[in-house]
C-alpha cells in the first residue's frame, strides 16, 4: 500500500477491525518512511453481477448507486442510518446470492420498495414515485391508498 503523503510503499498494520458484519476489514496503517497514519478498507468483491436496465442496457451492479437512491428517499425522515445501511446490505447480498450473472433492475427496485415499505411509508412513496415513474397524480394517489 502506497503512503498517501510520501508515496513510500512499505507500511505496518497497527490495527485491524471487522466491518460490514464480517464482510470487510478496516486496517489502520503507519508509513515506515514518514510515520503518517492512514486507514484502508478491504471487502469481498462478489462476482461481476450486471444489472439489466429497462432499455436492455447492462451495467455493473453498484451498491453506492443503490445507497444514493435509498438515501434520497429517506432524506429528512426520522430513520436511523443503521437501518438504511442494513436495508442496502440486505438488498445487495440478496441479489448477489439469488442471481449469478445478471439481475433485472426491476428486481432490485422491487426489493428496495418492499424494504422501504416496512421501514418508512413516506420514504417508500418517494422511492416508488421515481422508480415507477408515475404519469399523473391519480397513479400517485392510488399508490398512497394501497398503503392503507
Amino acid at each position: 500500500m502506497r503512503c498517501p503523503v510520501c508515496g513510500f510503499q512499505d507500511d505496518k498494520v497497527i490495527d485491524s477491525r471487522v466491518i460490514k458484519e464480517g464482510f470487510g476489514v478496516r486496517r489502520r496503517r503507519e508509513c515506515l518512511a514518514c510515520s503518517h497514519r492512514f486507514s484502508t478498507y478491504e471487502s469481498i468483491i462478489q462476482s461481476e453481477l450486471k444489472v439489466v436496465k429497462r432499455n436492455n442496457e447492462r451495467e455493473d451492479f453498484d451498491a453506492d448507486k443503490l445507497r444514493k437512491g435509498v438515501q434520497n428517499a429517506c432524506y429528512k425522515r426520522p430513520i436511523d442510518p443503521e437501518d438504511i445501511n442494513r436495508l442496502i446490505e440486505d438488498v445487495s447480498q440478496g441479489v448477489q446470492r439469488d442471481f449469478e450473472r445478471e439481475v433485472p433492475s426491476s428486481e432490485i427496485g422491487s426489493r428496495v420498495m418492499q424494504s422501504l415499505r416496512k421501514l418508512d411509508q413516506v420514504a417508500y412513496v418517494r422511492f416508488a414515485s421515481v422508480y415507477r415513474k408515475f404519469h399523473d397524480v391519480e397513479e400517485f394517489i392510488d399508490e398512497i391508498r394501497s398503503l392503507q
Side-chain angles (χ1 to χ4, degrees), residues 18-133:
V18 174
I19 58 172
K20 297 182 183 178
E21 297 179 11
F23 289 98
V25 177
R26 176 188 179 267
R27 297 196 196 281
R28 192 76 180 134
R29 299 175 180 269
E30 183 176 320
C31 176
L32 295 177
C34 71
S35 299
H36 175 72
R37 291 186 175 195
F38 58 100
S39 296
T40 60
Y41 296 88
E42 298 175 24
S43 61
I44 297 170
I45 297 175
Q46 300 289 343
S47 62
E48 301 298 319
L49 186 64
K50 297 285 186 189
V51 176
V52 181
K53 313 268 300 195
R54 290 179 187 169
N55 62 4
N56 281 331
E57 284 186 28
R58 285 161 174 70
E59 64 180 46
D60 292 333
F61 175 76
D62 184 359
D64 289 333
K65 188 173 179 181
L66 177 62
R67 178 177 301 283
K68 286 176 191 169
V70 171
Q71 286 177 328
N72 285 341
C74 296
Y75 182 67
K76 290 193 175 183
R77 297 294 304 151
I79 301 171
D80 186 347
E82 279 304 309
D83 290 336
I84 294 172
N85 290 339
R86 199 171 308 109
L87 182 151
I88 293 163
E89 287 293 321
D90 290 348
V91 171
S92 295
Q93 290 174 8
V95 296
Q96 294 196 9
R97 178 189 62 239
D98 297 342
F99 295 88
E100 196 169 313
R101 296 186 191 271
E102 296 182 337
V103 58
S105 61
S106 60
E107 180 64 28
I108 297 170
S110 162
R111 290 179 185 215
V112 170
M113 285 182 22
Q114 285 176 342
S115 298
L116 280 175
R117 189 174 195 154
K118 295 174 194 168
L119 184 64
D120 186 273
Q121 291 184 347
V122 172
Y124 163 78
V125 171
R126 286 178 178 171
F127 188 87
S129 69
V130 173
Y131 173 70
R132 290 195 177 155
K133 297 182 181 178

